[in-house]
C-alpha cells in the first residue's frame, strides 16, 4: 500500500498562532510530516509523490472566492504598511451574507475563522500539495486499490467551503470524498480526530450522498466549541446524514470503543461504496491538545475495527502533534488497519 506525500508540503511554516489571547509557537510544524512519513514506511507503506491535480478537486468543495483568497492573500498582505509577515485576522464579520470586501485585512477576517490558521510565504504551495495528496489517494482507491494513506499536511477537517480554521485551509477529507463520488453513489466520512470536523460537517450538511460521522471531545468546552454537538443531524435533504458522537474529556481506550462501534453501525446502515477516515492522532493521552487518553495500543485497536468495515478506504491525515509517540501511534494504527482490512 501507498503513503502519498510531497516534501513541498513542508513549505507551510507560520511560526506563531493566537490562542487564549496569547501569541504562541505554532504546533503544526513541518517535523510532523517527517515523523509521520517515517512511521508510514515503518508500517510497510511505499512512498509516492502526488501528481499536480490542478484546481478541479478543490473547486469541487471550495468556492472560487476562497481559492482566489488563499492563493493570493500573502502577497497582498505584505503590501500593508507596518503589517506582519504572516496573515492573521484581526476583525471578523457578524454575518457572511452581505457585500464581499476588497480589503486584504477584511478578506482575512471573512475567510479565517480564528487566529489558529496563519498563512506564511510558502503556505499556498504546501496547502495545494496537501490537497493533491488526498486527491491522489482517492484516485488510487477509486481505481481499485483497497486503501491508501494521504499524509495531508497541513490538515483540513476544520476548513469550510470558504473559511479556514484550526490549522486547516483546504478540506482534504472532503476533497477525497467528493472524488470517490465519481464512482460511488454514497461515501461515508469517519472523523476520529480529537476535535470535531466542523468544516467537513459544513461541506456536506445538506447532502444525503455523503454521510459524515465524527467521534470527538465534547465541544461544550473544547475547540471548535460552536459545532460538534449531538443534536446536529444535518439539514434539508441531508437531515439524518450527520452523526456526532461527543465524548467526555479524558476518554480512554475502553470508553472510546463503544462510540466507534456506534459509528460503525451508522455507517453500515448508510451502505456506502467507500470510506474516508479523517485520521487524527491527537486523541493520544500525551498529545499537547490534551483531549482524550487513547494509548498507542488503543490506536491499533481503532485501526483494526475500522479495517473490519471492509470498504475501499482513503486514510487522510488530520491532527496529531509533536510528542514522543506520534510516529508509533500512526504505525500501530496502520498495522492494525492493514491486518484486518478485507475487501
Amino acid at each position: 500500500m501507498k503513503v502519498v506525500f510531497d516534501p513541498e508540503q513542508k513549505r507551510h511554516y507560520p511560526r506563531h498562532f493566537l490562542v487564549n489571547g496569547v501569541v504562541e509557537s505554532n504546533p503544526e510544524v513541518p517535523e510532523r510530516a517527517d515523523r509521520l512519513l517515517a512511521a508510514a514506511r515503518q508500517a510497510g507503506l511505499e512512498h509516492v509523490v502526488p501528481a499536480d491535480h490542478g484546481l478541479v478537486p478543490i473547486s469541487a468543495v471550495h468556492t472560487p472566492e476562497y481559492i482566489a483568497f488563499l492563493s493570493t492573500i500573502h502577497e497582498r498582505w505584505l503590501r500593508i504598511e507596518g503589517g506582519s509577515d504572516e496573515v492573521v485576522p484581526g476583525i471578523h464579520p457578524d454575518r457572511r451574507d452581505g457585500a464581499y470586501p476588497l480589503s486584504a485585512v477584511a478578506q482575512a477576517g471573512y475567510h479565517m475563522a480564528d487566529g489558529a490558521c496563519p498563512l506564511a510565504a510558502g503556505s499556498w504551495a504546501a496547502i495545494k500539495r496537501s490537497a493533491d495528496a488526498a486527491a491522489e489517494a482517492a484516485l488510487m482507491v477509486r481505481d481499485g486499490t483497497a486503501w491508501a494513506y494521504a499524509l495531508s499536511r497541513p490538515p483540513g477537517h476544520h476548513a469550510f467551503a470558504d473559511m479556514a480554521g484550526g490549522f486547516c485551509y483546504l478540506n482534504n477529507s472532503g476533497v477525497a470524498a467528493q472524488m470517490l463520488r465519481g464512482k460511488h453513489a454514497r461515501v461515508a466520512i469517519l472523523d476520529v480526530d480529537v476535535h470535531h470536523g466542523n468544516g467537513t460537517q459544513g461541506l456536506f450538511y445538506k447532502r444525503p450522498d455523503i454521510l459524515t460521522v465524527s467521534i470527538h471531545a465534547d465541544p461544550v468546552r473544547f475547540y471548535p466549541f460552536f459545532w460538534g454537538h449531538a443534536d446536529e443531524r444535518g439539514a434539508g435533504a441531508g437531515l439524518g446524514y450527520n452523526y456526532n458522537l461527543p465524548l467526555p474529556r479524558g476518554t480512554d481506550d475502553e470508553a472510546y470503543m463503544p462510540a466507534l462501534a456506534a459509528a460503525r453501525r451508522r455507517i453500515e446502515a448508510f451502505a456506502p461504496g467507500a470510506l474516508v477516515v479523517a485520521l487524527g492522532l491527537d486523541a493520544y493521552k500525551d498529545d499537547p491538545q490534551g483531549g482524550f487518553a487513547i494509548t498507542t495500543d488503543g490506536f491499533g485497536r481503532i485501526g483494526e475495527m475500522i479495517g473490519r468495515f471492509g470498504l475501499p478506504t482513503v486514510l487522510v491525515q488530520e491532527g496529531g502533534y509533536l510528542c514522543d509517540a506520534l510516529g508509533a501511534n500512526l504505525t500501530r494504527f496502520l498495522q492494525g488497519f492493514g491486518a484486518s482490512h478485507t475487501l
Side-chain angles (χ1 to χ4, degrees):
M1 293 301 163
K2 305 291 195 340
V3 49
V4 188
F5 174 75
D6 184 349
E8 185 86 350
Q9 294 169 226
K10 295 195 293 182
R11 288 185 60 191
H12 171 67
Y13 193 12
R15 297 308 199 266
H16 303 96
F17 79 120
L18 183 65
V19 58
N20 300 326
V22 178
V23 176
E24 294 189 358
S25 296
N26 190 345
E28 208 290 279
V29 295
E31 186 181 347
R32 292 182 63 240
D34 293 330
R35 294 197 193 184
L36 293 169
L37 181 59
R41 286 170 163 161
Q42 179 68 28
L45 275 63
E46 176 190 351
H47 176 211
V48 296
V49 175
D52 184 344
H53 293 281
L55 297 179
V56 172
I58 61 176
S59 66
V61 293
H62 292 287
T63 67
E65 280 180 343
Y66 183 56
I67 295 170
F69 165 80
L70 286 177
S71 61
T72 64
I73 187 58
H74 187 262
E75 179 182 354
R76 296 167 54 215
W77 186 270
L78 292 182
R79 298 174 192 154
I80 300 171
E81 185 175 353
S84 62
D85 292 336
E86 298 175 356
V87 182
V88 180
I91 185 170
H92 299 278
D94 69 342
R95 61 192 177 93
R96 306 186 76 249
D97 58 352
Y100 186 70
L102 297 179
S103 161
V105 171
Q107 287 183 6
Y110 184 89
H111 288 299
M112 302 169 83
D114 51 50
C117 48
L119 290 155
S123 290
W124 169 243
I127 291 164
K128 169 63 169 59
R129 294 303 280 154
S130 183
D132 280 336
E136 186 85 8
L139 283 176
M140 290 177 183
V141 172
R142 197 175 78 178
D143 291 344
T145 298
W147 63 274
Y149 167 52
L151 204 180
S152 290
R153 186 271 159 187
H157 73 149
H158 295 309
F160 288 79
D162 64 350
M163 187 166 63
F167 310 130
C168 299
Y169 306 88
L170 294 176
N171 197 300
N172 305 308
S173 293
V175 166
Q178 186 63 40
M179 293 199 74
L180 290 170
R181 278 287 287 108
K183 179 178 181 180
H184 302 283
R186 293 178 303 283
V187 175
I189 301 174
L190 172 61
D191 193 322
V192 297
D193 191 282
V194 75
H195 303 96
H196 175 250
N198 56 327
T200 310
Q201 172 177 292
L203 287 180
F204 304 114
Y205 203 63
K206 297 181 179 180
R207 287 175 53 172
D209 58 329
I210 296 181
L211 174 72
T212 46
V213 179
S214 182
I215 306 172
H216 51 272
D218 192 331
V220 69
R221 292 185 182 275
F222 199 71
Y223 188 90
F225 303 112
F226 306 106
W227 304 271
H229 302 275
D231 61 354
E232 297 162 13
R233 299 171 45 238
L239 183 61
Y241 292 87
N242 187 79
Y243 186 38
N244 288 329
L245 291 156
L247 300 176
R249 294 277 290 273
T251 291
D252 62 12
D253 297 352
E254 297 308 318
Y256 189 93
M257 298 310 289
L260 186 55
R264 178 178 181 175
R265 290 192 295 271
R266 184 61 59 93
I267 290 169
E268 288 176 341
F270 179 63
L275 175 69
V276 175
V277 178
L279 179 57
L281 299 169
D282 43 8
Y284 180 59
K285 64 183 183 67
D286 293 325
D287 187 275
Q289 297 297 309
F292 282 167
I294 305 301
T295 65
T296 300
D297 286 343
F299 280 110
R301 292 174 62 189
I302 292 168
E304 288 169 9
M305 179 176 281
I306 296 173
R308 288 198 292 271
F309 289 14
L311 290 165
T313 302
V314 180
L315 306 173
V316 180
Q317 187 62 51
E318 297 291 355
Y321 301 92
L322 293 185
C323 61
D324 290 343
L326 176 61
N329 291 337
L330 176 62
T331 298
R332 187 68 186 87
F333 177 93
L334 293 172
Q335 289 172 336
F337 177 86
S340 65
H341 188 271
T342 56
L343 187 59

